[in-house]
């Protein structure tokens, strides 16, 4: 069944005099991979923050499954099936990779007022955690402290934590930023697998990856969504070419 | 899981065995002073262990933890004043009241972070301190002398020094075991995660506030129990018990012993009280010696005493 899983209506975010989100109305169709592109400072991360609940919009609304979630806190949205990864790695550095992901599993396995049984020996946590680590290619690094992982591995860990919450909608903020070509290729392959079972909103600067993966794209410039369409339509859109694609890829 | 004989385990075993055997030494040497010092160390270790749960594992820098020492102590003192000396009544009331006070303070302060949290917990503790000063019927500023120690109806008798000592020892070991289970449990993982990266915890689906508040209440309740023991040990409770400098002492014990390590608070309480005892008999200005010592440990001994032991372990 198709339909709209997530939409925004007249979303506005002001930082003082700056309009970081300028009247954005988006519809993310269930099952699609929807890329959001735009130059640095266009307001892509700010948009993700409002979708995930980290930041409240100045005006406008966010709907998930037709329900208004504009005021819903992050943890509630997580339980509604929304997960995100961060542009700037946000993990638990003093825990191992496995513990990082196990926490995400635990968040979705009932309440945590369990004071006695050791979490470390809990197969209900370790099983899904290792599965998620395997899925992103970090299975062999499960017992390494997260702080000791490489930059590329941090990006993978971010995805594993998001996947471990078993989301229906994944918001990815530049998951390939700073990755080498091999790591990027692996991430593209992973996203190809994931898009079969998940709706994904992907912010990415790597245009080859974006045009390979996306079903639809939205172009954001100065906070405004200037175009939405299939990769073919966006490629030939005059306004987009002038505003963005023409002068190379953003940083 | 089998326990490996690492230095961390060895030192912990030696220290705890030393505490277990101290009464034997005291009896053989006819030294009863060492037993009352030992009791005080055990009680302060219990209070520091409760602070370690929220400070060391949960990253909540409460600068008002001594308030619960006072709440627990005053419950014992005031009930004894009115002729209620049964421990079976006094102790549950003291623990529950401490938990309730912690629930109140935590609910109002845990929404803030960093310096604000430190200031708010300090402010609440000062409020409770002044409540104590205002208890004119119970000695006000001068404090309240216990007309009798808590009574278990025979055994254990708090009037018997070794029995009292062993009761404190057993309660401390039980509390340490409780902490060990707590921090390793799912609950403990949430507390640790909230210390490490709270926004990320929310993003993966944890409403962390309720877990942090629960930890705060547990810490308050355990510290209230320490207050009960402290009042009984001193036969006295006064507002000075909950002065902000006492809260500072507890933080020093936790930081010096090693934040977020199980035995850290024990090492911290042992070191602080032993140094206080030996240096203050040498000179009035013992804090001038102790201050720099503390700064050195914090600067160079990351992880406190327990951290030093762990590093020695890794080097081998
Ligand atoms: N918390 C904030 N306070 C003030 N300005 C901000 C804040 N976050 C982002 N901005 C500004 O909003 C604009 C959009 O930023 P961002 O969403 O990070 O862009 P992008 O992710 O597309 O590079 C930028 O000009 C940035 O400086
Ligand atoms: Mg960004």
């Amino acid at each position: 069944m198709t339909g709209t899983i997530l939409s925004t209506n007249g979303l506005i975010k002001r930082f003082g005099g700056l309009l970081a989100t300028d009247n954005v109305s988006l519809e993310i169709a269930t099952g699609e991979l929807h890329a959001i592109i735009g130059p640095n400072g266009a307001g892509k991360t700010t948009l993700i923050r409002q979708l995930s609940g980290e930041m409240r919009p100045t005006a406008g609304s966010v709907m998930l499954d037709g329900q208004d979630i504009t005021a819903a806190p992050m943890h509630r949205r997580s339980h509604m099936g929304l997960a995100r990864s961060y542009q700037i790695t946000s993990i638990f550095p003093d825990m191992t990779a496995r513990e990082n992901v196990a926490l995400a599993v635990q968040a979705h396995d009932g309440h945590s007022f369990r004071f006695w049984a050791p979490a470390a020996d809990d197969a209900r946590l370790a099983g899904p955690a290792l599965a998620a680590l395997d899925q992103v290619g970090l299975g062999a690094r499960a017992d390494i402290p997260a702080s000791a992982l490489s930059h590329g591995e941090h990006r993978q860990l971010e995805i594993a934590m998001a996947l471990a919450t078993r989301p229906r909608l994944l918001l990815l903020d530049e998951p390939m930023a700073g990755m080498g070509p091999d790591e990027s290729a692996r991430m593209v392959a992973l996203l190809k697998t994931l898009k079969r079972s998940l709706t994904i909103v992907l912010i990415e600067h790597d245009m080859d990856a974006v045009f390979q993966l996306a079903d639809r794209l939205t172009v954001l410039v100065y906070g405004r969504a200037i175009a939405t369409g299939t990769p073919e339509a966006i490629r030939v859109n005059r306004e987009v070419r002038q505003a963005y694609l023409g002068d190379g890829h953003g940083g | 899981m089998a326990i490996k004989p690492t230095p961390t385990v060895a030192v912990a075993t030696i220290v705890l065995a030393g505490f277990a055997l101290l009464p034997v030494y005291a009896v053989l040497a006819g030294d009863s002073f060492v037993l009352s010092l030992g009791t005080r160390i055990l009680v302060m270790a219990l209070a520091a262990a409760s602070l370690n749960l929220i400070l060391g594992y949960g990253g909540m820098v409460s600068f008002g933890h001594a308030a619960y020492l006072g709440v627990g102590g005053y419950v014992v003192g005031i009930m004894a004043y009115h002729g209620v000396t049964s421990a079976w009544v006094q102790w549950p009331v003291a623990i529950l009241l401490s938990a309730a006070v912690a629930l109140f303070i935590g609910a109002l302060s845990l929404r803030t972070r960093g310096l604000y949290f430190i200031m708010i917990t300090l402010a609440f503790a000062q409020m409770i301190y002044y409540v104590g000063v205002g208890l004119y019927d119970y000695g006000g500023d001068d404090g309240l002398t216990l007309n009798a120690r808590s009574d278990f109806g025979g055994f254990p008798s708090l009037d018997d020094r070794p029995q009292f000592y062993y009761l404190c020892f057993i309660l401390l070991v039980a509390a340490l075991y409780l902490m060990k289970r707590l921090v390793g449990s799912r609950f403990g993982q949430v507390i640790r995660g909230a210390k490490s990266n709270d926004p990320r915890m929310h993003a993966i689906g944890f409403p962390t506030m309720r877990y942090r508040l629960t930890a705060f209440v547990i810490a308050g309740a355990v510290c209230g129990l320490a207050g009960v023991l402290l009042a009984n040990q001193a036969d006295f409770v006064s507002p000075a018990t909950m002065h902000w400098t006492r809260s500072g002492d507890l933080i020093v014990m936790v930081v010096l012993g090693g934040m977020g390590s199980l035995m850290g608070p024990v090492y911290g309480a042992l070191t602080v009280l032993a140094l206080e005892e030996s240096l203050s008999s040498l000179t009035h200005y013992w804090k001038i010696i102790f201050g720099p010592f503390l700064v050195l440990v914090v600067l160079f001994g990351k992880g406190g005493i327990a951290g030093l032991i762990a590093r020695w372990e890794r080097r081998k």
Side-chain angles (χ1 to χ4, degrees):
Chain A
M1 211 191 105
T2 56
T4 302
I5 184 168
L6 182 83
S7 64
T8 69
N9 196 350
L11 209 61
I12 292 175
K13 182 71 194 180
R14 270 182 211 284
F15 295 118
L18 179 81
L19 251 184
T21 307
D22 184 0
N23 199 18
V24 170
S25 298
L26 268 183
E27 291 209 340
I28 309 295
T30 306
E32 75 171 334
L33 190 150
H34 194 119
I36 295 176
I37 62 172
N40 254 338
K44 305 181 296 295
T45 298
T46 302
L47 179 62
I48 291 277
R49 283 186 168 156
Q50 294 168 85
L51 299 182
S52 69
E54 186 188 345
M55 208 176 243
R56 297 269 181 282
T58 309
S61 62
V62 182
M63 314 279 280
L64 183 64
D65 297 324
Q67 218 181 317
D68 191 329
I69 58 162
T70 315
M74 274 201 283
H75 65 85
R76 180 120 12 98
R77 295 183 205 209
S78 168
H79 285 275
M80 293 172 82
L82 199 150
R84 79 177 276 199
S85 77
Y86 289 71
Q87 179 177 3
I88 296 167
T89 300
S90 177
I91 52 171
F92 305 104
D94 43 354
M95 298 185 183
T96 65
R98 184 213 309 261
E99 284 180 306
N100 269 265
V101 185
L103 257 181
V105 177
Q106 186 186 321
H108 293 260
D109 187 40
H111 65 77
S112 286
F113 288 105
R114 293 160 204 248
F115 300 99
W116 209 248
D121 312 340
D122 195 333
R124 287 173 61 100
L125 301 179
L130 282 176
L133 285 169
D134 276 334
Q135 204 176 354
V136 302
L138 273 183
R141 310 280 282 163
D143 294 316
I144 309 282
S147 57
L149 296 175
S150 73
H151 174 79
E153 288 171 333
H154 280 157
R155 313 303 306 162
Q156 292 171 299
L157 182 58
E158 282 269 350
I159 310 282
M161 287 167 75
L163 290 177
T165 66
R166 302 209 279 139
R168 291 175 299 134
L169 172 60
L170 199 51
L171 311 173
L172 302 176
D173 195 352
E174 303 200 21
M176 288 166 242
M179 276 189 164
D182 289 352
E183 288 173 324
S184 289
R186 236 181 298 143
M187 186 63 83
V188 170
L190 172 64
L191 294 183
K192 274 186 181 154
T193 334
L194 291 177
K195 70 178 271 196
R196 286 192 223 123
S197 52
L198 283 173
T199 309
I200 299 176
V201 174
L202 172 69
I203 295 178
E204 188 47 60
H205 275 306
D206 181 339
M207 287 305 136
D208 293 337
V210 166
F211 282 96
Q212 259 187 73
L213 286 165
D215 300 307
R216 290 199 302 156
L217 284 84
T218 291
V219 183
L220 216 59
V221 178
Y222 294 122
R224 279 190 324 117
I226 61 167
T228 293
T230 61
E232 297 74 37
I234 293 295
R235 218 191 285 267
V236 299
N237 184 307
R238 289 261 318 264
E239 207 184 341
V240 173
R241 295 186 72 95
Q242 275 169 3
Y244 180 46
L245 291 179
D247 50 354
H249 303 162
Chain B
M1 222 166 27
I3 297 172
K4 284 188 225 108
T6 60
T8 296
V9 172
V11 173
T13 310
I14 290 167
V15 169
L16 288 179
F19 274 117
L21 295 175
L22 188 70
V24 178
Y25 163 81
V27 167
L28 290 180
D31 182 352
S32 67
F33 171 76
V34 75
L35 213 49
S36 76
L37 175 62
T39 306
R40 258 195 309 133
I41 292 173
L42 292 172
V43 173
M44 292 316 286
L46 179 63
S50 73
L51 178 60
N52 189 35
L53 175 66
I54 53 174
L55 172 58
Y57 292 101
M60 298 168 241
V61 188
S62 168
F63 208 139
H65 209 61
Y68 312 109
L69 284 177
V71 172
Y74 268 101
V75 166
V76 170
I78 292 173
M79 289 184 94
Y81 180 84
H82 291 287
V84 182
T85 54
S86 169
W88 303 108
V89 180
Q90 284 181 347
W91 291 32
V93 171
I95 291 168
L96 286 176
L97 188 62
S98 301
V101 170
L103 180 64
F104 176 78
I105 296 178
L108 292 174
S109 61
L110 280 172
R111 286 179 199 289
T112 64
R113 292 283 158 145
L115 203 55
Y116 293 103
F117 181 75
I118 297 176
M119 299 307 285
I120 289 182
T121 49
L122 174 62
F124 276 120
Q126 284 301 94
M127 266 172 50
I128 297 172
Y129 169 82
Y130 284 111
V131 169
V133 171
L135 291 175
Y136 301 117
D137 291 348
Y138 306 109
D141 219 356
D142 296 332
L144 176 64
T145 300
L146 264 60
N147 49 24
R149 287 187 174 178
S150 299
D151 180 10
F152 278 97
F155 183 84
S157 162
L158 304 198
D159 293 317
D160 179 275
R161 275 178 202 255
Q163 282 185 38
F164 187 17
Y165 178 91
Y166 276 120
L167 179 64
C168 295
F169 178 71
I170 288 166
L171 287 173
L172 174 64
V173 171
L176 292 177
Y177 182 67
L178 173 80
M179 295 298 165
K180 186 178 159 63
R181 299 302 299 223
L182 269 187
V183 299
S185 71
R186 286 190 178 205
F187 176 79
Q189 288 297 99
V190 178
I191 299 304
R192 288 179 57 206
K195 175 193 181 192
S196 171
N197 189 345
D198 198 49
R200 189 52 154 145
M201 288 295 280
H202 283 266
I204 60 178
F206 283 112
T208 53
M209 175 71 182
R210 60 191 70 162
Y211 298 104
R212 297 169 67 233
L213 181 57
T214 304
F216 198 83
V217 169
I218 294 172
V222 173
C223 194
L225 174 62
V228 166
L229 297 171
L230 194 63
N232 274 295
Q233 195 275 333
D235 297 304
F236 178 70
V237 60
S238 79
T241 311
M242 28 185 185
H243 195 255
W244 67 270
T245 53
R246 306 297 296 170
S247 295
D249 289 346
L250 286 174
I251 293 180
V252 165
M253 288 174 195
V254 172
V255 173
L256 178 66
M259 286 201 287
S261 105
L262 190 64
M263 284 294 287
V266 180
Y267 303 147
L270 177 59
T271 311
V272 169
L273 289 180
L275 279 179
E276 185 177 296
E277 211 49 61
S278 50
L279 293 179
S280 63
S281 63
L282 287 177
T283 158
H284 261 355
Y285 304 105
W286 66 272
K287 284 209 168 168
I288 295 175
I289 303 173
F290 185 58
F293 169 74
L294 195 65
V295 170
L296 284 179
V297 172
V298 172
L299 283 183
F300 298 106
K302 216 165 160 264
I305 297 169
L308 284 176
I309 298 170
R311 243 174 302 163
W312 173 40
E313 180 171 319
R314 250 168 282 143
R315 195 163 313 148
K316 291 210 309 185

